[in-house]
Amino acid sequence: MTPPKCTICKTQNTAFPVQVLLPSYNLKLCQKHFLEWMEKRVYETIEKYRMFTKNDKILVAVSGGKDSLGLWFLLSQLGYEANGLYIDLGIPNYSSESKTYACQLAARIGRTLHIVDITTELAPIPEMKQWSKKPACSLCGTIKRYYMNRIARENGYTVLATGHNLDDEAAVLWNNVMHWNMDYLSRQYPVLPAEGPFLKKVKPLCRISEKESALYTIFHKIPYIKPECPYSTHASSLENKRILQKLEEEKPGTKITFYTGFLKNLAPLLHKNEKRDISLAFCRICGEPTTTEICSICQLKQKMGKI
Ligand code: SF4
Ligand code: ZN
Ligand code: ZN
């Protein structure tokens, strides 16, 4: 069967054969034009939501997966000053391989990679259940937020970027709408402004699907960890992703319309009504922001006899 022509360059299976069909946008792109399309779309997202400029010092949270590695590479292609942060969670058959990929990319693009080793700071995630009643993912989230903010601030970064893609954001939105979780809905946005000691947080891939993100990383020959974290199989977000994927297959463009429609129509109303009144203190031990006298990370360290 003759492959379809690229919508942009109209070539047919010559130097850049058509590889990518994007039915949501009615596009068929060769590899070269897909990569250009993706970089332009991410750049437009950064500009549209005023995420950062070339004067910012950006820290990308890198997990070793396709999204965060692709994002880091893409930002360096666009000429942004972006370094990486890898948090070693000590998860068997997952963490050491993902760390290798993060280190490889840092060497390839000539950028700094900060590494935090949770196994020495606290303990490997699988061993944490003896110190905390929280589920692994909830604890892991607390740990990652703490170290991301701390490392970024201590090293003079102005923005923290994460690799959340359209599928992630649409699944979270779906869940928040299903449960009418107004508090979460009012904070769901691709940019969270800096608030006191908390850095500005951005999601430049929020309008890029999981498939598009994977193709970008593969076409640039960036090795990444394929299996999901073993704990993610229990995440309810996977079920929401499956539902949305089914709707997308029946009607291409569903995910992007659902998510960007929310950003355009509902998010501004929710922001207008939002009143946040968090009384923040600073941890008596580490000095990081907390709502209690001693932050949850220092409480864990105390239980473990680390401080
Ligand atoms: Fe952490 Fe859970 Fe994500 Fe694994 S799936 S990296 S444990 S939050
Ligand atoms: Zn082309
Ligand atoms: Zn503390």
Side-chain angles (χ1 to χ4, degrees):
M1 198 174 79
T2 322
K5 290 178 182 177
C6 168
T7 313
I8 296 172
C9 66
K10 317 285 183 206
T11 56
Q12 199 174 46
N13 202 14
T14 52
F16 303 107
V18 170
Q19 304 230 13
V20 188
L21 302 179
L22 301 173
S24 313
Y25 309 102
N26 206 15
L27 288 173
K28 301 171 184 115
L29 298 177
C30 67
Q31 185 171 318
K32 174 175 180 274
H33 284 114
F34 167 72
L35 294 173
E36 285 180 10
W37 172 86
M38 170 112 169
E39 287 174 7
K40 184 164 174 272
R41 188 158 174 82
V42 175
Y43 176 73
E44 284 170 355
T45 306
I46 293 167
E47 290 286 300
K48 183 178 171 66
Y49 295 101
R50 298 189 183 164
M51 292 185 170
F52 43 75
T53 68
K54 297 264 161 87
N55 296 325
D56 276 297
K57 207 176 156 203
I58 305 152
L59 185 64
V60 183
V62 181
S63 68
K66 63 184 184 322
D67 302 308
S68 56
L69 290 175
L71 171 64
W72 194 15
F73 185 85
L74 192 152
L75 293 182
S76 76
Q77 292 285 98
L78 292 177
Y80 289 104
E81 191 189 341
N83 288 332
L85 167 65
Y86 178 80
I87 299 179
D88 188 342
L89 302 166
I91 298 173
N93 306 321
Y94 180 75
S95 291
S96 61
E97 189 182 343
S98 56
K99 184 169 153 190
T100 305
Y101 297 140
C103 293
Q104 281 175 358
L105 184 62
R108 177 169 162 189
I109 60 178
R111 297 283 183 183
T112 301
L113 178 67
H114 303 269
I115 297 178
V116 175
D117 189 352
I118 295 302
T119 64
T120 52
E121 282 282 318
L122 295 156
I125 290 287
E127 287 175 26
M128 289 287 204
K129 51 180 179 290
Q130 49 182 308
W131 307 106
S132 169
K133 289 194 181 73
K134 281 188 179 180
C137 287
S138 156
L139 192 57
C140 179
T142 305
I143 292 169
K144 285 195 283 199
R145 276 192 299 278
Y146 175 91
Y147 285 102
M148 282 194 292
N149 199 63
R150 181 173 177 168
I151 300 294
R153 222 191 43 248
E154 284 178 352
N155 290 280
Y157 291 96
T158 51
V159 189
L160 197 50
T162 55
H164 294 93
N165 61 39
L166 172 63
D167 292 54
D168 300 323
E169 292 303 294
V172 170
L173 177 60
W174 179 266
N175 190 57
N176 288 340
V177 169
M178 283 294 137
H179 297 94
W180 287 119
N181 197 332
M182 300 309 285
D183 192 33
Y184 287 153
L185 276 173
S186 70
R187 276 180 280 139
Q188 186 170 2
Y189 207 66
V191 178
L192 288 181
E195 248 185 334
F198 295 109
L199 246 75
K200 182 178 187 180
K201 293 194 187 77
V202 298
K203 298 172 182 174
L205 299 185
C206 66
R207 299 195 303 161
I208 297 294
S209 75
E210 201 157 304
K211 172 187 146 189
E212 291 150 14
S213 170
L215 287 175
Y216 183 84
T217 308
I218 291 165
F219 287 161
H220 276 297
K221 300 187 169 46
I222 301 167
Y224 65 88
I225 183 125
K226 309 280 183 316
E228 298 280 343
C229 169
Y231 292 98
S232 71
T233 49
H234 302 293
S236 62
S237 71
L238 285 183
E239 186 51 35
N240 292 330
K241 280 187 181 177
R242 270 193 285 269
I243 295 168
L244 285 167
Q245 187 54 32
K246 198 146 182 3
L247 294 175
E248 179 76 24
E249 279 158 20
E250 281 171 24
K251 194 167 187 303
T254 297
K255 281 187 242 177
I256 190 74
T257 309
F258 176 52
Y259 179 61
T260 54
F262 163 74
L263 296 182
K264 187 164 169 251
N265 301 307
L266 189 57
L269 298 176
L270 295 172
H271 288 174
K272 217 161 59 185
N273 294 331
E274 190 194 15
K275 279 200 193 83
R276 292 193 76 191
D277 186 20
I278 309 169
S279 46
L280 268 188
F282 291 91
C283 172
R284 186 159 60 73
I285 297 171
C286 69
E288 285 300 297
T290 172
T291 49
T292 48
E293 196 191 348
I294 298 175
C295 77
S296 49
I297 300 299
C298 287
Q299 285 182 30
L300 266 175
K301 285 187 176 177
Q302 279 180 328
K303 277 192 210 164
M304 294 173 169
K306 298 237 172 197
I307 48 176

